[in-house]
Amino acid sequence: MKNCFLILCLLSSWGAAAQSLPATPQRPVTDTYFGRAVVDNYRWLEDTKSPEVLAWFKAQGDYTKQTLDRLPGRDSLLSAFVRYDRLRPARYSEIRKRGNRYFYRKTLPAEKVGKLYLREGATGAETLLFDPVAYNPAKTYSVTAFTPSNSGQQLVVGLQEGGAELSTLRIMTVATKALLPESIVAVSGGGVDWLPTDTGFLYTPNNSTDPKDPLGNLNTKARLHRLGTPASADPELFSRAKNPAFPIRPDEYPFIYFSDDHTQVYAGLGSVDNRQYVWVATPADLGKPTIPWQPLAVPTDSVYSYLKLGAQLYLYSVKGAPKGRILVTDAAHPKVATATVLLPEGSRNITGIVSSKDYLFVTLNDGINDHIRQYDPRSRQWADVPLPFSGTAYVQPLDAPRSNAVLLGITSWKQPATLYDYNPDSKKLAVSNFEVKAEYPGVADLVVEEVEVPSHDGAMVPLSLIYRKGLQKNGQAICFMDGYGAYGISAVPAFSTRYLAMLNQGVVIAETHPRGGSEKGQKWYRAGYQTTKPNTWKDFIACGDYLVKNGYTSPSHLIGMGTSAGGILIGRAITERPDLFAAAISNVSCSNMLRQENTPNGPVNVPEFGSVKDPVQCQALYEMDAFQHVKPGTKYPAVMCVGGMNDPRVIVWQPGKLAAALQAATTSGKPVLMQVNYDNGHFTEDKAVTFRNFANMYAFALWQAGHPNFQPATVAVK
């Protein structure tokens, strides 16, 4: 008689995967940096044109998809994203006013990307101007940016394909919705600035439509396009070649734009260094063979932004004032060195300035929440802009040179973004005609807690916690901890329906504010910069230790995530403290910093991270390099690396090499996956792609952190 017995095999979902990953060959290449020999086993993965490399990424992506498709909670998480998105009937953004015309992007719940619309008056009838989906049904397009002309009669539309970020510019005649014949390709971001006469516009294109072209970002040129002429004939106005006497590096982006009142034109250099290099001329000078640019500011002036209002030039500078101050000088004869201090440095960080026709608006931040002040040059009086609640706020002038029409937006960790019309004369707020309210489930039960955590050197690191009421601090909750800490960018409060989907499943959200951001001013930024960069991931680790010590979670339930430059943070956190995390997400991540300069976007980032050509900075880059700190025989947490094949900012082999190294090194038995996005770059507006991408990342992490809703079923074998 045949023996019949039931064997209950409690298969982990990792062991139950349908296929195994193919082996990744190690082909060592040794580089010597100032006497240090560094071995790179996966240099061959950098050749993204190689059929072998493309096959490797495809195999990795296919394996990841098979694994994630088995997670029971992934699709329900994706459904929650879609369901919450549909609670707001329409989303309005990027509202611009020209005369009585309002131009804006509107996205309906059923739409993957937004369309461009026009209203005659804020409450007028709505007219569809441009649908990127219908532009070319054979391809996937979205609108990167759009800019109406000064009269509102023309519209420049920047189109991106497949999340590639480099845009093609098309020009529309608004009255007929007809597109002019010319197309301008490879414009980063898609932004332009119209001539006062509306006969053309200023723009700066890249040199190539290929986001992987190493020369695409170097020695770019600011150009002038005249409507109805071929882009190939567009003259260059400002560039390293055109202005050889100017200190323009190959990696800096020359740009030109007008003051709001079109009485001045500015030339500047875009880079990751926030300190501006600026020259000024008159619009009439643009027609001269050689533009007589006059210096306005140099990096040692530490001017972060500037604007002309009336006869005065207002400058936001951090020179001698790490939290910022506002200076004012005569716009016709600007002298930063002798400018008057209009608003001295205070206890709050200045984060930006904008203006309407008659008012200057200054945004200040107390480390977490924004405050806005307005200044009237006519009366020389300051006043506070009333905010309905604490959080992240911004002022958006709708038609700065011609009116005081202003929108005010505000959001917080648990309050959805709300849009108001603001009257700076009366200081009154009214809910905007473009505001569409939505009620989201579970928001009323959310608790926000702001704490400070001692780091390795005693520095107190801000930590924002969001969780549902009734949290038992017994270490059993899953905690999702995110961090960035680069370029002086602060982690500001913002409501997220994606986070809400996890919060409503009992997950604790922890938003860290490590050094490298500007939560505590420029000193906080510079304390996580180049040679001080280790503070960034050590602050992140300190936050994780705090959460464990205080019972919010435990190492078996802690998830860490870092995106883009935050890849340094998460990569070095798991290589320095692999015991602290159950899972980590390394999303479009800077993971191999010693090789960052060899990427298309690498040279422009040298001011932020350093160069391998400098011995001190090279050592700092080695410390930042997560790939080089992967050690064989280590029990690493589960890790999901994510890369976009169309990503122009962080090339796909950066997270790819980290995934390969971790797969070969880890002895924990936990999965290391490489998700490859072929319809995405660094990010995309396409909601279907974005929702899928984040559902995959979150589901992976929640599975590995032990959330019961994401565990594959056990299998009974007879």
Side-chain angles (χ1 to χ4, degrees):
M1 180 178 175
K2 185 177 180 179
N3 289 328
C4 294
F5 59 93
L6 180 68
I7 303 174
L8 292 178
C9 299
L10 301 178
L11 298 174
S12 73
S13 52
W14 176 240
Q19 296 181 3
S20 297
L21 273 172
T24 304
Q26 295 187 3
R27 299 167 186 164
V29 175
T30 301
D31 297 306
T32 301
Y33 300 97
F34 302 100
R36 179 198 287 269
V38 177
V39 178
D40 184 341
N41 287 320
Y42 301 104
R43 180 71 53 83
W44 64 276
L45 286 175
E46 295 181 13
D47 184 5
T48 55
K49 297 186 183 300
S50 160
E52 181 187 20
V53 172
L54 293 174
W56 183 87
F57 277 106
K58 185 178 186 305
Q60 291 281 336
D62 289 347
Y63 180 79
T64 296
K65 183 178 185 304
Q66 289 178 2
T67 304
L68 297 176
D69 283 349
R70 300 177 59 255
L71 303 183
R74 193 270 309 269
D75 290 346
S76 64
L77 192 63
L78 179 59
S79 295
F81 293 167
V82 173
R83 188 169 64 254
Y84 293 172
D85 182 64
R86 289 180 176 174
L87 291 176
R88 178 164 285 188
R91 282 178 167 79
Y92 297 89
S93 61
E94 299 153 84
I95 302 163
R96 287 86 184 266
K97 187 174 184 285
R98 297 293 185 269
N100 196 43
R101 287 183 162 180
Y102 288 80
F103 296 84
Y104 54 93
R105 188 196 304 254
K106 184 175 80 168
T107 311
L108 299 176
E111 296 174 335
K112 296 192 297 182
V113 298
K115 302 174 184 178
L116 302 185
Y117 290 85
L118 167 70
R119 286 185 191 175
E120 297 286 353
T123 59
E126 186 173 78
T127 301
L128 174 64
L129 288 180
F130 187 81
D131 179 357
V133 176
Y135 175 71
N136 184 345
K139 297 183 178 181
T140 302
Y141 283 99
S142 60
V143 174
T144 321
F146 65 94
T147 310
S149 63
N150 301 292
S151 65
Q153 301 300 313
Q154 292 92 20
L155 184 70
V156 170
V157 181
L159 291 169
Q160 65 174 201
E161 181 184 350
E165 203 166 332
L166 294 177
S167 301
T168 297
L169 302 184
R170 299 301 309 271
I171 303 106
M172 173 186 287
T173 300
V174 173
T176 63
K177 305 181 191 176
L179 296 175
L180 298 185
E182 63 258 37
S183 293
I184 303 174
V185 300
V187 180
S188 182
V192 307
D193 199 24
W194 283 89
L195 296 176
T197 57
D198 286 354
T199 56
F201 51 81
L202 307 170
Y203 72 105
T204 302
N206 276 32
N207 300 319
S208 170
T209 58
D210 181 2
K212 301 181 181 68
D213 186 344
L215 301 179
N217 296 347
L218 300 179
N219 294 308
T220 54
K221 301 171 181 179
R223 297 183 179 276
L224 167 63
H225 178 72
R226 296 281 185 183
L227 300 187
T229 64
S232 58
D234 290 350
E236 63 180 274
L237 300 184
F238 183 59
S239 69
R240 192 165 180 250
K242 181 83 170 176
N243 306 90
F246 288 15
I248 304 175
R249 300 194 311 267
D251 56 275
E252 292 177 311
Y253 291 88
F255 61 86
I256 306 178
Y257 71 97
F258 294 100
S259 59
D260 284 338
D261 62 6
H262 291 108
T263 60
Q264 292 186 322
V265 61
Y266 307 111
L269 302 175
S271 87
V272 296
D273 189 341
N274 294 321
R275 300 172 302 169
Q276 298 282 314
Y277 229 135
V278 191
W279 294 264
V280 62
T282 69
D285 291 331
L286 296 183
K288 298 177 181 178
T290 300
I291 299 172
W293 296 109
Q294 298 299 312
L296 193 158
V298 297
T300 53
D301 294 320
S302 295
V303 171
Y304 273 31
S305 60
Y306 53 93
L307 59 84
K308 182 176 181 290
L309 177 56
Q312 302 298 309
L313 189 72
Y314 296 86
L315 308 106
Y316 157 36
S317 171
V318 297
K319 185 174 184 178
K323 294 193 174 183
R325 59 181 180 170
I326 304 300
L327 309 176
V328 60
T329 184
D330 178 16
H333 306 284
K335 290 183 173 58
V336 178
T338 58
T340 301
V341 177
L342 178 67
L343 183 65
E345 181 181 28
S347 60
R348 296 169 178 162
N349 301 315
I350 294 174
T351 59
I353 56 173
V354 296
S355 66
S356 65
K357 176 176 175 289
D358 298 313
Y359 292 92
L360 174 73
F361 300 92
V362 181
T363 303
L364 305 103
N365 186 276
D366 62 14
I368 300 294
N369 298 305
D370 284 336
H371 307 262
I372 302 176
R373 301 192 72 192
Q374 67 180 49
Y375 176 72
D376 185 344
R378 298 163 299 181
S379 65
R380 299 185 179 181
Q381 295 296 310
W382 287 95
D384 290 330
V385 174
L387 300 180
F389 55 87
S390 296
T392 301
Y394 66 90
V395 168
Q396 179 189 334
L398 294 175
D399 195 9
R402 289 171 284 273
S403 81
N404 285 320
V406 166
L407 288 176
L408 186 144
I410 186 167
T411 184
S412 76
W413 297 121
K414 67 174 186 177
Q415 289 158 299
T418 306
L419 201 57
Y420 297 88
D421 292 318
Y422 176 63
N423 185 328
D425 293 320
S426 65
K427 304 180 185 61
K428 299 294 184 182
L429 287 171
V431 175
S432 171
N433 289 309
F434 292 96
E435 171 61 25
V436 179
K437 189 177 182 181
E439 297 289 343
Y440 295 100
V443 171
D445 293 326
L446 296 182
V447 174
V448 175
E449 190 178 352
E450 303 285 0
V451 299
E452 289 205 329
V453 174
S455 193
H456 68 104
D457 57 356
M460 298 303 291
V461 182
L463 174 62
S464 301
L465 301 173
I466 311 103
Y467 51 84
R468 292 181 62 81
K469 292 177 183 177
L471 173 69
Q472 300 296 313
K473 296 180 182 178
N474 56 10
Q476 296 305 301
I478 292 172
C479 180
F480 185 95
M481 184 171 69
D482 195 13
Y484 188 71
Y487 305 111
I489 297 173
S490 299
V492 297
F495 179 78
S496 166
T497 54
R498 294 198 298 266
Y499 276 177
L500 182 63
M502 288 196 289
L503 285 161
N504 283 339
Q505 297 201 50
V507 177
V508 175
I509 301 296
E511 192 68 44
T512 64
H513 305 272
R515 281 170 281 188
S518 293
E519 281 87 346
K520 295 189 177 185
Q522 293 305 299
K523 290 181 179 178
W524 195 250
Y525 165 39
R526 294 290 174 160
Y529 168 89
Q530 293 191 7
T531 57
T532 59
K533 193 63 180 174
N535 287 327
T536 301
W537 65 80
K538 290 178 185 295
D539 288 352
F540 189 72
I541 289 170
C543 289
D545 282 332
Y546 173 90
L547 292 167
V548 171
K549 179 181 178 181
N550 289 276
Y552 291 93
T553 191
S554 61
S556 61
H557 298 310
L558 179 60
I559 300 162
M561 180 170 178
T563 296
S564 191
I568 298 170
L569 169 146
I570 191 61
R572 289 300 281 116
I574 62 171
T575 50
E576 190 162 301
R577 284 289 306 280
D579 60 301
L580 183 59
F581 302 92
I585 301 169
S586 185
N587 181 32
V588 292
S589 54
C590 298
S591 302
N592 185 195
M593 294 304 291
L594 281 174
R595 298 287 295 168
Q596 179 74 10
E597 279 176 89
N598 297 87
T599 72
N601 202 38
V604 74
N605 279 284
V606 166
E608 175 72 16
F609 302 115
S611 171
V612 293
K613 300 178 180 69
D614 179 278
V616 175
Q617 294 176 0
C618 184
Q619 175 60 30
L621 287 166
Y622 176 79
E623 290 302 319
M624 296 179 215
D625 195 313
F627 169 73
Q628 285 296 338
H629 282 82
V630 174
K631 304 301 179 187
T634 302
K635 293 181 178 180
Y636 287 108
V639 179
M640 182 172 176
C641 297
V642 181
M645 274 297 177
N646 297 325
D647 192 339
R649 302 196 191 198
V650 180
I651 199 163
V652 70
W653 58 254
Q654 282 269 329
K657 288 174 70 175
L658 178 63
L662 287 168
Q663 287 169 357
T666 187
T667 58
S668 66
K670 296 181 178 181
V672 175
L673 304 183
M674 177 69 209
Q675 176 170 302
V676 184
N677 295 324
Y678 293 91
D679 50 4
N680 196 356
H682 207 58
F683 45 77
T684 179
E685 184 200 356
D686 190 324
K687 290 190 292 185
V689 174
T690 299
F691 290 169
R692 180 207 68 210
N693 196 28
F694 281 92
N696 283 341
M697 288 188 278
Y698 293 175
F700 169 83
L702 293 171
W703 159 40
Q704 289 297 311
H707 197 292
N709 294 346
F710 294 83
Q711 305 308 308
T714 58
V715 179
V717 180
K718 291 186 178 180

